[in-house]
Amino acid sequence: MPSFAQKRTIIVAIVVVFCTFVILRQTKTKTTTDIRAESSVIKFLKWPGEFTSAVSSMFNGQSIPSMAQIPETTILQNMKLGEISDLYFRYVNTLQVFCPVKNIYGGVRSGWYTCEVATKADQPCVSYMITSKEKDAIVDAFFKEIGQDYKCEKNVILNSTMTAEKNSPDTDATSSVAVLKSKKHVDYMVMDVQGGETQLLSFMLKNGLLRTVGQLIVTFHGIKADSNEAVYVEHLQVLRALYQEGYRTFHFNRQIQCLFSGNPMKTGCYTLSMMREMPIHGPLEVFTPELIKTQPLNALASLYHKLLVSTQVHCKEVVRIGKVDDGGWDICNDTEYRPSSPCIVYSFGVAGDWSFDDEVSRIYGCEVHSFDPSIGKQDHKRSDKITFHNLGLWGKPKGQHGKWKMMNLEGIMQMLGHTNKKIDIIKMDIESSEWSAIPDMISTGVLKKARQFNVEFHNNHNPHESFRSKMSILRGINDQGLKLFWSHPNTYNVKQFGPTGRQVTACYENYYLNPNLKKTNA
């Protein structure tokens, strides 16, 4: 006869097996192979509300309600143009919630970001697109890809149809508005109507057309270099209403086709990816060294492309320093990571574009050291804060590469007297040489001294044996304690990814934070 302890062990085991079965039944799996190195589901992380106190000083001490990060209309209408435009651009560059794992549907060049969430097995996926284009390859790719992953029901509404129904006093049960309103849930709704988004969203909010929409992705147009206060008020009113409706931004895209005339550092078009509160998948982790050696190349390459558009730690305010297009770089502007004088920035790879170097020294007062042996300039002082070095970065001690003088990061820090200092930002765009420089930065321990590490990775589009060494390097960065907080696929070198047929890039700008160097007095 089994003892009481044995009986208890058997009962506990049965309960565990049964609970595991129930959980698996309730979680809908994707139809494509899951390439996650570690699979987890985490709770929706609410915005802690720091933005409210951070911007209140901009409005002459006027208090801003804690329930909304945008003040009421009466306050907006009394703000000066500089104040209200600053508020708008800060708002649209803020990540209000943390979405670690993102999918791009429609291609990295012009597609839309969604957050990977834990969905229910008994709830079929529903997707919507409100668009101004009757036929569009990117829209078709969006529905094809999201259909492959989640078997989503496809619904397309032309903006002209929505406008006609919006202006019509009577709509029947078969109208687009009536059908949308009848949906018990809509997983994804994309809105890209090339203008008039604020009026359309106001109509949809007023008529309850968004009440069942989980993720809402909207491209906002309409802000221009000469926009007046009324235009900003209109946009901010809608953004405030969306916030009150429960939507929080988890990703944004700055659209380069709307660059301000004469000012390449600002754009008037932003795509905001927003979501309601729901369980989300936890951060991706790089495969262990053992798995990197043994994983099939297709799975390894798939994880590489997915990892480099994901995030592992939440930075709330992501600010572009320099040009919106190529040449500018993002930094985390949260107080615990934000540069503050005295600060040090290393910029490897100038290529004749000084916008990042100039702006980071002007805004934060940092000592900037710029490096590039390829542009034919000798060592010189560009300004009182910027020093140019005719020197390249590689993974060996001081040496020569053709006509170029080269040095590893450890040697450069010794040369500049920075051996015992923290480097606030290391920015690196060195055209594939990162793969030889970074292992040396890891082995010498100097990478740990960077508070923010910005690098453009250059690689093959499709599976290749070299992915193993490059994934090992990504693993090494991760093991140094650095975590991804932002990514920006370079859209100038895109191709189809063989295993899936989806569009990927060969170059990713990736942005890391070092939580071990978080400022404790921030």
Side-chain angles (χ1 to χ4, degrees), residues 42-48 95-100 248-249 275 277-280 283 313-314:
I42 63 176
K43 290 182 178 179
F44 184 85
L45 302 180
K46 295 184 179 180
W47 195 4
L95 302 176
Q96 299 166 339
V97 291
F98 181 41
C99 170
R248 304 291 183 267
T249 302
M275 65 189 299
E277 183 171 350
M278 61 187 75
I280 56 180
V313 66
H314 188 198

Side-chain angles (χ1 to χ4, degrees), residues 191 379 423:
M191 186 182 298
D379 295 357
I423 310 301

Side-chain angles (χ1 to χ4, degrees), residues 1-17:
M1 291 287 292
S3 66
F4 174 75
Q6 290 172 323
K7 289 179 179 178
R8 184 175 59 185
T9 301
I10 292 169
I11 292 170
V12 169
I14 292 171
V15 170
V16 169
V17 170

Side-chain angles (χ1 to χ4, degrees), residues 351-406:
D353 190 325
W354 295 90
S355 64
F356 171 79
D357 307 57
D358 289 343
E359 285 297 290
V360 78
S361 67
R362 182 187 67 82
I363 295 169
Y364 299 104
C366 291
E367 170 190 341
V368 179
H369 292 272
S370 309
F371 304 82
D372 198 325
S374 71
I375 60 175
K377 291 185 179 292
Q378 297 304 310
D379 295 357
H380 66 276
K381 289 284 289 184
R382 178 172 172 82
S383 69
D384 62 332
K385 295 185 181 297
I386 303 174
T387 303
F388 175 78
H389 305 269
N390 183 23
L391 183 64
L393 180 69
W394 67 359
K396 297 182 287 186
K398 186 176 181 179
Q400 201 82 12
H401 180 67
K403 296 181 179 180
W404 297 349
K405 293 183 291 183
M406 308 294 290

Side-chain angles (χ1 to χ4, degrees), residues 254-383:
R254 307 177 187 97
Q255 302 294 343
I256 61 173
Q257 68 268 27
C258 302
L259 292 177
F260 280 9
S261 177
N263 183 0
M265 299 184 190
K266 276 193 175 180
T267 178
C269 298
Y270 278 78
T271 299
L272 300 188
S273 297
M274 299 167 277
M275 65 189 299
R276 294 182 182 274
E277 183 171 350
M278 61 187 75
I280 56 180
H281 282 297
L284 290 170
E285 295 294 340
V286 188
F287 285 136
T288 62
E290 294 75 19
L291 280 174
I292 291 172
K293 291 177 184 177
T294 58
Q295 278 290 308
L297 284 176
N298 281 3
L300 202 64
S302 295
L303 177 60
Y304 173 88
H305 286 294
K306 187 155 188 170
L307 177 70
L308 293 189
V309 294
S310 73
T311 48
Q312 298 166 320
V313 66
H314 188 198
C315 170
K316 292 176 282 297
E317 190 175 8
V318 181
V319 176
R320 189 76 169 175
I321 305 297
K323 294 178 181 176
V324 172
D325 202 1
D326 228 17
W329 289 77
D330 292 296
I331 72 162
C332 180
N333 201 46
D334 292 359
T335 52
E336 59 266 39
Y337 295 105
R338 179 191 306 155
S340 56
S341 185
C343 46
I344 301 172
V345 175
Y346 287 178
S347 174
F348 294 100
V350 177
D353 190 325
W354 295 90
S355 64
F356 171 79
D357 307 57
D358 289 343
E359 285 297 290
V360 78
S361 67
R362 182 187 67 82
I363 295 169
Y364 299 104
C366 291
E367 170 190 341
V368 179
H369 292 272
S370 309
F371 304 82
D372 198 325
S374 71
I375 60 175
K377 291 185 179 292
Q378 297 304 310
D379 295 357
H380 66 276
K381 289 284 289 184
R382 178 172 172 82
S383 69

